[in-house]
Amino acid sequence: MVLLRLSPMALSRSRFALSPLAETLGSMSVLTKPCSDPWLAPWYTRHRDPFLAVLDADPFAKGLVELIGSTKYLPGFVTLPPSGGMRTALADELGPVAAAPDAAVRADLEAAVAHSWKRHDLEWLTGHGWGARTAGLFRYTWEAHIRPDWPRRRALLERDVSHRAGLLAAYGWPRALQQMNRRSAWVGADAIRFSDQPGPDRVVGGDGMLFVPVCVTSGTWLSEEQPARYALVYPARGSAAAATGRPEPAHALERLIGTGRAAVLHELERPATSTELALHFGQSLGTVGGHLAVLRDAGLISGTRAGRRVVYRRTGAGDVLAGRPEP
């Protein structure tokens, strides 16, 4: 069992972050396999064939992506913790990737081959400058396949962070970590269980742990940078539910408060900002803001300011009206 041990200072400084690099890494693996996530299905249909065509034309890119998608050890030079918090930019993350020396890249790839459930060779690892070539592949994948979908994805990721930040403020880190992935759990007073597999414990440095959501429902990995920086990458909650998992509002509720307001009230089972709701429904901020104002005046929702953002959530009365029984 692998434990991440945190001192009181590390625990107090732990926080959430976003990583376009991690989002791109997970998405590349998704595009090479059958898609099981309804929320990503339209994007997958549009982008899979063009992405595979690029891989077929470049043995280095194809070998690297196939290895990443079939190993229990992701190469360390492409899984560094993000450094920009919630505003991390891909260009900042790709700098260290491009600068990785060939010897370090080869060592990481050999370790990935050793931990793969498929047979691989490294015959495609020819020439030199492998870090820079990898950074180029990630840059292309981001620009061609991820960035056009980033506003929708970012809204989902920020919504996950808002939800977990609320749990953190109310109940502490153990509750915020619940259901982050199938394996992680709080252990005792100062440790996070990352894996059930045998392995050495890690001691998180004084800057704390980073928790990084991605839109890939099966993506979970530990990012590490010496001397003691760690980030736990985990699947954002709610992507499948956002696509197909929630029932349509009851017709009686629609007739009572209107179709648009009923949909917003149901969607606020998970807290969200007006911008996140507008992106989810494909409506203007003015339209969503009008619905929120009416629901708030009726006492069905409340808003809590978090910096420049206002996060809306259902009240007890809103839960009852939306169909959730009172506790």
Side-chain angles (χ1 to χ4, degrees):
M1 180 170 64
V2 177
L3 295 180
L4 302 167
R5 298 195 175 276
L6 297 91
S7 68
M9 178 178 291
L11 184 60
S12 69
R13 293 184 176 180
S14 295
R15 59 206 183 277
F16 293 93
L18 297 185
S19 171
L21 180 66
E23 188 71 24
T24 304
L25 175 63
S27 297
M28 289 195 299
S29 292
V30 168
L31 287 172
T32 62
K33 304 172 183 177
C35 182
S36 59
D37 185 347
W39 193 78
L40 285 174
W43 168 83
Y44 175 89
T45 300
R46 291 193 305 273
H47 291 278
R48 184 171 193 260
D49 287 345
F51 180 70
L52 294 182
V54 168
L55 296 189
D56 287 339
D58 183 346
F60 175 87
K62 186 172 184 177
L64 178 62
V65 172
E66 288 183 347
L67 177 57
I68 286 173
S70 60
T71 182
K72 297 179 180 179
Y73 176 87
L74 291 174
F77 77 106
V78 294
T79 56
L80 298 174
S83 59
M86 294 296 291
R87 298 181 180 275
T88 301
L90 181 69
D92 296 331
E93 295 189 278
L94 288 183
V97 176
D102 285 352
V105 172
R106 176 177 282 279
D108 271 347
L109 295 178
E110 289 176 346
V113 169
H115 289 82
S116 176
W117 55 85
K118 294 184 178 180
R119 296 192 62 179
H120 291 276
D121 58 53
L122 294 178
E123 292 181 356
W124 46 269
L125 196 60
T126 59
H128 55 84
W130 300 321
R133 291 164 69 182
T134 301
L137 172 63
F138 274 77
R139 188 178 298 108
Y140 155 76
T141 305
W142 169 263
E143 291 293 335
H145 303 295
I146 312 300
R147 191 164 68 89
D149 198 40
W150 184 237
R152 184 177 76 113
R153 296 187 183 211
R154 186 182 184 105
L156 178 73
L157 301 177
E158 289 179 342
R159 193 167 178 182
D160 178 272
V161 170
S162 295
H163 169 74
R164 295 189 186 279
L167 293 176
L168 172 62
Y171 305 107
W173 278 112
R175 181 71 177 273
L177 285 176
Q178 275 187 350
Q179 299 179 342
M180 189 169 277
N181 64 58
R182 292 175 296 176
R183 296 172 297 179
S184 296
W186 200 263
V187 178
D190 65 349
I192 300 169
R193 185 187 71 219
F194 168 69
S195 172
D196 294 327
Q197 301 297 317
D201 292 353
R202 272 80 159 181
V203 177
V204 178
D207 287 339
M209 187 83 185
L210 293 177
F211 299 96
V212 182
V214 290
C215 291
V216 183
T217 56
S218 61
T220 302
W221 63 87
L222 186 67
S223 298
E224 180 178 355
E225 184 178 24
Q226 294 300 325
R229 292 189 69 235
Y230 294 95
L232 179 62
V233 180
Y234 67 92
R237 67 191 294 274
S239 63
T244 62
R246 185 173 290 105
E248 293 297 320
H251 293 303
L253 181 58
E254 292 180 357
R255 293 196 300 270
L256 179 64
I257 64 175
T259 301
R261 291 167 195 161
V264 170
L265 187 62
H266 273 270
E267 186 61 25
L268 284 178
E269 181 180 349
R270 295 176 293 127
T273 67
S274 57
T275 300
E276 291 164 352
L277 290 169
L279 283 168
H280 175 76
F281 289 113
Q283 297 176 346
S284 69
L285 277 173
T287 298
V288 170
H291 293 326
L292 291 170
V294 172
L295 294 170
R296 183 175 54 196
D297 290 345
L300 301 177
I301 66 171
S302 63
T304 303
R305 182 166 292 279
R308 297 182 179 180
R309 306 162 67 239
V310 177
V311 180
Y312 294 93
R313 50 180 46 84
R314 289 196 314 226
T315 62
D319 283 343
V320 172
L321 191 61
R324 174 187 288 180
E326 290 183 289

